[in-house]
Amino acid sequence: MEMQSDPLSDIISNLPKHVIETILVHLPIRDAVRTSVLSHKWRYKWDTIPELVFDDNSIEDGTIRIDKLVNFIDRVLLLHRGPVHKFHLFTSFLNDSLIDSWILFLSRNGIKELSLKFQGEKLYKVPYSFFSCQAISHLNLFSCVLKPPSVFKGFSLVKSLNLEKVTLSNEVFESIMSNCMVLERLRLTNLNGCTHLKIRGLNLQHFYFYGEFIDICFIDAPQLSFVSIRLENSFFDQVGQGESSNLIKVLGSLTGLEKLVISVNFIQFLAIGNIPARLPVTYDRLKSIILVIHFEDLNEALVMLRLLQSSPNVHELVIWSYPAAGVTEFVEDFWEPQGHLDCSMNHLRVVSAYRISGARPELQFIEFLLINSPNLETLSVTPRSGKNVLFP
Amino acid sequence: MKSYIWLQTADGSIQQVEEEVAMFCPMIYQEILQTGMGSSKNYAISLPQRVNPAILSLILDYCRFHQVPGRSNKERKSFDEKFIRLETKRLCELTSAADSLQLKPLVDLTSRALARMIEGKTPEEIRETFHLPDDLTEEEKLEPLRNTADDPRIRLLNRLYARKRRELKDKEKLKNVGVEEEHVDERSVDDLLSFINGDNGGNPVSDSKVVKAAKHKKKNRRRKDQPRDSSSNNVNKNHKELDDLSSVRCSGEVDNILVRSPCETSKLKNVSDDTFAPKAELDPATKAELDDSDIDDELDPAMKEELDREVEDFARRLNSDWQEILSLGQEKKLAPISVNGNGSLQRYTSAFVFGWNADNSTIHRSAIAHIGNGFEKMLTQSGC
């Protein structure tokens, strides 16, 4: 049994530190920590890795118990040296006080990418030390409650923000929004407590929303190229919105749009108010439009028409048709070919229509498309099958 | 007309490479831009030491493929997967060389491959793959390590480590303090032998100090000799352990030992034959050894290692006995611990048993019981 190995053949241990760290970072945290028993040189190689990812699989054996995972994370953090740039915790267990102390540790060690994802009914209330993590650039919170101290001025370095099942008030959201100069990517899903969204960001490029709001508007987001909004239900005010068109209010400033996804119920929101004869802006860069629409609704049809008229360069159009239930204004022949709807779509190449039931408005619309798109290459029509179809 | 860049590796050999391929390496690219070197054979760019010709050829293959802009992601991924199918040593060399040339995508690729070779493997397997020396000291292996989940078995082992650490410290002290305790050992063994050989008592006390010291050295020397004799290793170990066992327990209880069971007597007899037969010759022989003061210091690590290995073998065979050992020590009842799966666990076993000499605790007694089955009865009936 050889106790000594030829030192010349052990070349992995002498690789530069940053290379070893690259290797260790690609290992699950448990394997990375276990390298400390390999040999004398490997004893303390793992403890400076800048990324720590923990999930319920980080501890071995079948029975996952909260105290096991919690102990493991505790000890890893205690033994760790140097900055921690990335910390991910995905777990179905919640132990508020311990997680609080980990956040405090991270806030003192230069955390840049933080992901906290909890499964289960209970929400995690992030501690005050969370709001002092000023180096954060990527933030993913899942099932949390954000209640910052009044001195909180937002995360000035955050580039990517992803909140899901997060409870926060309008004011808190505003304070985050008003100070993120470098925010590029914003995803909001099932927020709680945030009813009036004011989205701003000089560098914002990507915005995704799924949930409910009463009102939304974009302020100073000239670079926004991707917008996708899906509403849980139509709790917003159907009436009493005044005369101004929501379509203009919401999308009027987004001239940089390249891809627009108007998903379930959002077109109803956009249809509220007086839809003008022509939109004041054109979306020159808009290439791809995905719409979920009730074909029988006049206002929704108008919204779609105005959008198409203002997007001369649209390349791809995807339509999901679904049955109206209690439409405001019913219309049959809106898309009638003889009706002079001035809309030339010279660049439209691909059209996909889903859940077509064969109703007149639908078929008229398809005819309308064919007439007005001289360069159309592909038109695919998928009939309503009765099965559950996933909306964008 | 294609343009070529001249590159020189650390061994002096020079080769020319298509410009666009060489420029794919940031380090070469910068070198060309900043110094203008590389345009002719005389002004070849000196590559970092970590890049030897064979590895350079691999790296250039990588660059040649990836610098072509039109390739799809699928093509690139497929190439990468085939490219890293190298033997371990090559892979490490490639990682090192790619890093010195600042070729980050290749460093990432090779790092991932190396990580895959580490993931999910046991420490032994990893050591074998990468030729790592198993050189953690006894002490370091005893420290509670981060790689274990909080598990009652592990907590128990941690407690045993702490105890073992204390014993090691005691052993150090013992070595320094002197041979007092060994005198006790000597005397009892002598009693035993006297009894067996038909003498009436121990040696005269007046000579005892010198003689005992000599005997101790002699005994240790025997131990040192024994590891070299691999064929009778097992047997010798048993006797060694038997020696110390008797010396710890049996001061003044010679009768009891012999009464217990006949097999023990025979074992003792063997001991006397091997170790102490030439009793009369001890004085002159060991007087010479007294001068050799290095023996003791040298012995301990070697002895430890031998014992470790020996006990590891035992531990492997005694997989199911773990539970007994531990429960005899009045610890909690535990699920059987697999001694085969994790090399580090075997180490704990060895350390655990080794410390039996310096402490009278129950656990150590029980451990000894499992070294030789015949001792079991003796120990359970002991009152010490």
Side-chain angles (χ1 to χ4, degrees):
Chain A
M1 217 198 301
E2 265 282 300
M3 293 295 267
Q4 286 302 312
S5 296
D6 178 10
L8 289 175
S9 60
D10 166 21
I11 37 176
I12 191 174
S13 305
N14 295 322
L15 288 174
K17 185 165 174 231
H18 59 275
V19 175
I20 299 269
E21 279 179 6
T22 308
I23 298 173
L24 291 175
V25 148
H26 286 135
L27 287 171
I29 184 70
R30 220 182 95 243
D31 289 86
V33 169
R34 270 149 60 111
T35 59
S36 52
V37 285
L38 289 177
S39 78
H40 204 75
K41 284 187 182 163
W42 283 82
R43 188 118 176 108
Y44 297 112
K45 281 198 197 284
W46 75 269
D47 62 12
T48 48
I49 52 174
E51 298 184 12
L52 300 171
V53 175
F54 297 98
D55 55 37
D56 286 344
N57 296 323
S58 294
I59 40 175
E60 57 185 288
D61 79 38
T63 54
I64 300 162
R65 289 196 342 249
I66 177 175
D67 55 330
K68 275 187 182 176
L69 179 65
V70 152
N71 278 343
F72 179 61
I73 300 176
D74 240 7
R75 290 152 115 188
V76 168
L77 289 182
L78 210 56
L79 286 176
H80 190 272
R81 291 184 298 166
V84 179
H85 288 149
K86 179 165 147 180
F87 183 88
H88 285 214
L89 175 61
F90 300 157
T91 177
S92 38
F93 300 113
L94 209 54
N95 185 323
D96 285 47
S97 55
L98 272 159
I99 303 176
D100 284 357
S101 55
W102 299 338
I103 306 286
L104 176 61
F105 170 86
L106 295 169
S107 72
R108 293 170 174 167
N109 282 283
I111 185 77
K112 291 187 182 156
E113 289 187 35
L114 179 61
S115 293
L116 301 175
K117 182 167 171 174
F118 302 105
Q119 278 141 4
E121 291 304 315
K122 224 178 132 199
L123 299 176
Y124 171 64
K125 178 162 183 290
V126 302
Y128 276 7
S129 57
F130 169 82
F131 299 100
S132 65
C133 299
Q134 284 303 313
I136 280 194
S137 64
H138 290 71
L139 183 59
N140 292 305
L141 295 179
F142 200 113
S143 284
C144 295
V145 174
L146 289 178
K147 262 201 196 144
S150 50
V151 295
F152 177 58
K153 294 265 185 298
F155 297 110
S156 54
L157 293 177
V158 69
K159 266 177 147 168
S160 165
L161 184 59
N162 183 5
L163 305 176
E164 189 168 338
K165 255 176 93 181
V166 170
T167 301
L168 78 170
S169 70
N170 285 319
E171 291 75 29
V172 175
F173 185 74
E174 176 66 21
S175 62
I176 293 177
M177 281 283 101
S178 56
N179 277 300
C180 44
M181 296 297 118
V182 292
L183 187 65
E184 290 171 12
R185 198 179 153 94
L186 179 60
R187 290 181 74 92
L188 306 171
T189 311
N190 287 329
L191 294 186
N192 189 358
C194 213
T195 52
H196 293 75
L197 295 170
K198 295 200 189 79
I199 312 296
R200 70 185 80 214
L202 292 169
N203 284 300
L204 190 61
Q205 289 159 24
H206 175 115
F207 177 73
Y208 170 89
F209 184 89
Y210 173 43
E212 301 170 7
F213 53 64
I214 293 174
D215 192 31
I216 185 170
C217 63
F218 294 91
I219 303 168
D220 284 337
Q223 309 232 30
L224 200 50
S225 60
F226 173 85
V227 168
S228 171
I229 298 179
R230 176 177 166 167
L231 296 177
E232 188 76 33
N233 49 43
S234 356
F235 277 170
F236 43 83
D237 269 340
Q238 298 276 13
V239 289
Q241 283 283 334
E243 299 294 315
S244 55
S245 162
N246 269 359
L247 176 58
I248 297 180
K249 258 175 50 183
V250 177
L251 299 181
S253 61
L254 304 181
T255 48
L257 275 179
E258 291 171 25
K259 183 163 175 176
L260 180 59
V261 181
I262 299 176
S263 191
V264 179
N265 289 324
F266 186 47
I267 198 164
Q268 277 176 269
F269 180 83
L270 291 175
I272 291 167
N274 280 349
I275 301 165
R278 211 51 195 219
L279 290 182
V281 291
T282 54
Y283 301 102
D284 292 317
R285 315 242 289 265
L286 190 53
K287 294 209 179 50
S288 175
I289 301 179
I290 300 174
L291 278 174
V292 176
I293 186 169
H294 307 106
F295 268 106
E296 289 89 3
D297 189 305
L298 168 68
N299 289 324
E300 290 183 25
L302 267 175
V303 166
M304 179 154 72
L305 179 62
R306 295 291 174 257
L307 271 175
L308 290 174
Q309 286 170 330
S310 299
S311 315
N313 296 314
V314 73
H315 178 106
E316 180 195 26
L317 181 63
V318 178
I319 308 280
W320 294 72
S321 163
Y322 77 113
V327 290
T328 48
E329 278 181 65
F330 186 84
V331 68
E332 264 279 322
D333 292 327
F334 181 84
W335 299 105
E336 199 183 53
Q338 284 78 6
H340 302 280
L341 299 169
D342 170 28
C343 177
S344 52
M345 296 173 281
N346 294 325
H347 297 269
L348 191 60
R349 298 262 190 282
V350 180
V351 173
S352 310
Y354 296 98
R355 309 195 81 229
I356 299 299
S357 61
R360 261 184 60 168
E362 289 170 350
L363 300 177
Q364 283 181 349
F365 175 70
I366 292 172
E367 246 195 282
F368 161 84
L369 281 178
L370 289 169
I371 292 171
N372 287 295
S373 324
N375 293 310
L376 189 62
E377 287 167 13
T378 315
L379 169 65
S380 76
V381 177
T382 311
R384 193 168 298 167
S385 63
K387 286 186 249 171
N388 249 348
V389 185
L390 290 171
F391 287 117
Chain B
M1 259 299 275
K2 252 195 176 175
S3 53
Y4 288 84
I5 301 286
W6 295 84
L7 303 172
Q8 180 175 33
T9 44
D11 64 341
S13 61
I14 302 177
Q15 54 180 287
Q16 56 173 353
V17 181
E18 305 94 301
E19 189 182 27
E20 65 273 10
V21 174
M23 299 272 266
F24 197 71
C25 292
M27 181 255 164
I28 298 177
Y29 178 79
Q30 275 174 7
E31 194 70 17
I32 295 175
L33 284 184
Q34 286 173 4
T35 67
M37 298 266 279
S39 48
S40 71
K41 197 166 180 181
N42 290 333
Y43 294 100
I45 294 176
S46 293
L47 294 179
Q49 202 201 10
R50 290 186 260 160
V51 185
N52 63 52
I55 293 295
L56 178 62
S57 144
L58 273 176
I59 292 183
L60 293 175
D61 286 342
Y62 179 87
C63 294
R64 201 167 284 121
F65 182 87
H66 280 284
Q67 58 90 17
V68 176
R71 305 210 191 265
S72 71
N73 282 339
K74 206 171 159 189
E75 281 178 335
R76 291 183 195 269
K77 203 165 169 222
S78 168
F79 173 87
D80 285 348
E81 273 165 33
K82 287 195 206 114
F83 184 75
I84 47 158
R85 279 192 215 145
L86 301 164
E87 50 141 0
T88 315
K89 186 160 181 244
R90 268 281 130 101
L91 210 49
C92 290
E93 282 175 346
L94 187 58
T95 313
S96 180
D99 175 61
S100 65
L101 294 174
Q102 296 160 30
L103 201 48
K104 199 164 181 311
L106 184 54
V107 176
D108 272 342
L109 178 63
T110 47
S111 299
R112 272 181 217 268
L114 290 169
R116 277 199 292 275
M117 294 166 100
I118 297 175
E119 188 174 341
K121 302 270 189 348
T122 66
E124 286 81 26
E125 287 168 339
I126 302 173
R127 281 193 210 111
E128 204 184 304
T129 310
F130 294 103
H131 306 291
L132 300 178
D134 189 2
D135 61 358
L136 282 173
T137 65
E138 211 48 56
E139 283 246 317
E140 282 169 331
K141 281 179 189 157
L142 290 172
E143 278 172 31
L145 292 168
R146 291 286 55 75
N147 56 333
T148 57
D150 199 28
D151 186 302
R153 299 174 297 186
I154 307 303
R155 266 186 266 131
L156 164 73
L157 282 167
N158 287 347
R159 258 178 274 168
L160 295 172
Y161 310 157
R163 204 186 306 238
K164 167 63 180 160
R165 221 178 299 143
R166 259 182 280 127
E167 277 143 27
L168 276 176
K169 278 205 201 110
D170 292 340
K171 266 197 90 65
E172 290 302 309
K173 284 191 206 131
L174 274 182
K175 243 187 354 183
N176 298 335
V177 164
V179 290
E180 288 299 314
E181 294 186 25
E182 282 125 25
H183 286 171
V184 176
D185 299 348
E186 297 301 313
R187 207 174 9 245
S188 28
V189 169
D190 282 352
D191 284 345
L192 266 171
L193 295 169
S194 314
F195 190 90
I196 294 161
N197 293 336
D199 292 345
N200 272 336
N203 297 318
V205 180
S206 50
D207 304 350
S208 60
K209 259 210 170 113
V210 172
V211 175
K212 301 309 186 273
K215 276 211 179 117
H216 173 64
K217 298 250 182 229
K218 180 72 180 174
K219 203 162 76 163
N220 284 346
R221 189 151 177 259
R222 285 281 169 173
R223 282 187 187 150
K224 190 182 181 186
D225 292 342
Q226 281 163 0
R228 288 192 214 125
D229 179 8
S230 52
S231 57
S232 56
N233 233 2
N234 285 350
V235 177
N236 288 338
K237 291 299 176 303
N238 275 338
H239 297 319
K240 223 181 354 185
E241 283 141 10
L242 171 57
D243 265 351
D244 288 351
L245 163 63
S246 4
S247 52
V248 164
R249 288 198 64 256
C250 304
S251 36
E253 289 184 336
V254 172
D255 292 338
N256 288 343
I257 292 172
L258 292 176
V259 161
R260 291 276 153 71
S261 71
C263 61
E264 272 106 78
T265 320
S266 62
K267 279 184 187 156
L268 289 172
K269 232 189 200 146
N270 289 341
V271 169
S272 74
D273 288 342
D274 265 359
T275 316
F276 295 96
K279 192 168 138 198
E281 295 163 15
L282 272 177
D283 291 347
T286 52
K287 264 202 177 105
E289 285 152 33
L290 270 174
D291 298 333
D292 187 358
S293 52
D294 290 341
I295 290 179
D296 261 355
D297 293 338
E298 277 177 349
L299 280 176
D300 280 352
M303 187 170 74
K304 276 186 206 172
E305 277 183 24
E306 286 306 320
L307 267 180
D308 283 359
R309 254 175 248 138
E310 182 52 28
V311 178
E312 272 178 41
D313 283 338
F314 273 114
R316 257 178 245 123
R317 278 179 256 141
L318 296 171
N319 195 1
S320 57
D321 286 344
W322 240 135
Q323 195 172 349
E324 265 191 68
I325 292 173
L326 298 172
S327 57
L328 275 174
Q330 285 154 8
E331 300 295 347
K332 288 183 280 190
K333 201 115 175 48
L334 302 165
I337 300 172
S338 155
V339 196
N340 293 326
N342 187 351
S344 46
L345 195 54
Q346 290 176 357
R347 287 272 160 214
Y348 307 147
T349 318
S350 68
F352 163 78
V353 173
F354 175 67
W356 56 278
N357 200 5
D359 191 331
N360 286 334
S361 70
T362 325
I363 283 195
H364 298 300
R365 292 264 167 71
S366 359
I368 296 160
H370 290 270
I371 293 170
N373 293 332
F375 293 153
E376 240 172 347
K377 275 191 212 161
M378 180 161 67
L379 290 170
T380 50
Q381 289 167 17
S382 84
C384 299

